Amino acid sequence: MDGKTVAWDEAHAHVISNTLHYGFGVFEGIRCYKTERGPAVFRLREHMKRLRHSATILGFEVPYSLDELVEATREIIKANGSDECYIRPLAYIGHGGMGLSYENCDVNVSIATWHWGEYIGQGTLEKGSRAKTSSYIRHHINSHMSKAKACGNYMLFQMARTEARRDGYDEALLLDANGHVAEGSVEHVFIVRDGVLFTPSLAHLLDGITRATIITLARDKGLELREELFSRDYVLTADEAFFVGTGAEVTPLVELDNRRIGDGRRGPVTTMLQQAYFDHVHGRADTHPEWLTYV
């Protein structure tokens, strides 16, 4: 926290914290994986660069350089003795005033790590997940800063996932204001039709780092990829579908709204891309070594 290693039980923020009340902060979700060369963080610099960009979009600066954030992440992983972990950097407004104007407030930065397994649900990486089309609509492109991974933006996604889980599903699928498929609660979505990979364009979505990774791996494999708008019907009649994200990694989507997608199992394209992804994050691949930062 703010350049100091703090014990878990002592990592406190005050109840009169601007970000706690208004959600004005930015964060990242990053994973560290076990490799033959020791722990390695996947695309760490890209994540920390996006953290700083998110703050710029909201109108404040992260008071640490990219190199300082990268080194601090390596230090806290070492301090916690982790082989694998989830990493959560957070830049937030602490003390300094409770008004909506934050110009005289200090910006605090914390980086925490913990163990986080299969985010969508135990066993879903293999057996696949079930999703519900959410009753909540993805933010309109002009309703908020969609390219910032901002704390307050995630209330919508939390409500969507809570609704889906209460209704017996693993995840939510949100549509945009025009009825096109947007994303999961914290994941980008891909579908496969006749061997072609489709994913929604980034017009009003966060620039997903895992999404970019999967696109690169798909092109490496010679797959045709199209970024375009499509409807919920298109998902229901797809051959395969899957979610991607730092938490979700590459999780098959085998059912939407109680309708089976494809044959209701993890498909061959999903399997191929999932294997390629895990080969890279675990340091088993020969390509894209720049994606790993070894601890």
Side-chain angles (χ1 to χ4, degrees):
M1 298 183 72
D2 299 317
K4 298 179 181 178
T5 301
V6 179
W8 183 274
D9 293 340
E10 299 172 7
H12 302 304
H14 200 279
V15 67
I16 304 300
S17 163
N18 190 286
T19 297
L20 175 63
H21 290 256
Y22 304 125
F24 194 85
V26 297
F27 71 98
E28 279 294 320
I30 315 171
R31 279 192 188 261
C32 174
Y33 290 90
K34 184 177 182 179
T35 77
E36 291 184 352
R37 293 175 53 188
V41 185
F42 189 65
R43 306 199 75 164
L44 174 57
R45 295 187 72 85
E46 290 95 328
H47 278 285
M48 289 305 189
K49 186 179 294 185
R50 189 172 66 181
L51 180 81
R52 289 170 54 83
H53 285 172
S54 293
T56 298
I57 292 170
L58 265 62
F60 69 93
E61 292 185 8
V62 175
Y64 296 94
S65 70
L66 179 59
D67 288 340
E68 287 174 322
L69 292 168
V70 168
E71 187 55 34
T73 302
R74 297 175 70 240
E75 288 178 8
I76 196 62
I77 294 171
K78 290 178 184 177
N80 283 328
S82 304
D83 287 328
E84 292 194 321
C85 61
Y86 180 84
I87 306 157
R88 171 57 56 85
L90 172 68
Y92 61 101
I93 308 297
H95 291 289
M98 282 305 298
L100 292 181
S101 179
Y102 55 87
E103 286 85 354
N104 297 320
C105 299
D106 293 332
V107 177
N108 301 108
V109 177
S110 65
I111 304 174
T113 71
W114 62 84
H115 174 73
W116 212 345
E118 295 182 54
Y119 174 78
I120 292 183
Q122 186 64 37
T124 53
L125 286 173
E126 180 177 352
K127 71 180 182 181
S129 60
R130 300 174 61 250
K132 169 188 176 176
T133 303
S134 181
S135 66
Y136 300 101
I137 301 301
R138 177 63 165 82
H139 306 93
H140 188 275
I141 189 171
N142 291 327
S143 68
H144 76 142
M145 296 294 197
S146 62
K147 299 302 181 184
K149 196 172 177 69
C151 301
N153 292 350
Y154 280 74
M155 186 178 76
L156 167 67
F157 302 128
Q158 191 166 24
M159 291 192 300
R161 188 158 203 255
T162 298
E163 175 189 61
R165 300 283 287 186
R166 286 175 177 169
D167 289 346
Y169 294 86
D170 301 307
E171 186 53 287
L173 182 71
L174 286 86
L175 307 181
D176 67 19
N178 295 313
H180 300 110
V181 171
E183 59 186 333
S185 68
V186 289
E187 311 93 358
H188 289 282
V189 62
F190 287 77
I191 64 172
V192 182
R193 294 177 66 91
D194 299 323
V196 179
L197 203 58
F198 295 84
T199 193
S201 70
L202 287 176
H204 61 295
L205 304 178
L206 185 72
D207 291 341
I209 292 171
T210 308
R211 176 188 184 275
T213 300
I214 293 303
I215 288 174
T216 297
L217 294 177
R219 287 171 173 159
D220 287 350
K221 298 289 185 181
L223 292 173
E224 180 182 352
L225 181 127
R226 301 179 190 173
E227 299 179 68
E228 59 185 48
L229 299 172
F230 54 84
S231 66
R232 173 176 35 173
D233 318 47
Y234 222 54
V235 181
L236 294 172
T237 56
D239 300 319
E240 304 175 41
F242 55 93
F243 288 121
V244 306
T246 295
E249 299 167 307
V250 182
T251 299
L253 173 59
V254 298
E255 187 179 306
L256 177 64
D257 299 331
N258 283 319
R259 296 170 177 81
R260 189 175 67 180
I261 298 171
D263 62 4
R265 295 180 293 179
R266 178 177 60 181
V269 175
T270 305
T271 301
M272 177 178 65
L273 292 173
Q274 187 185 70
Q275 184 61 55
Y277 181 78
F278 283 119
D279 283 344
H280 280 80
V281 300
H282 287 287
R284 298 190 295 259
D286 295 329
T287 56
H288 308 294
E290 71 280 3
W291 286 349
L292 293 179
T293 299
Y294 289 91
V295 175

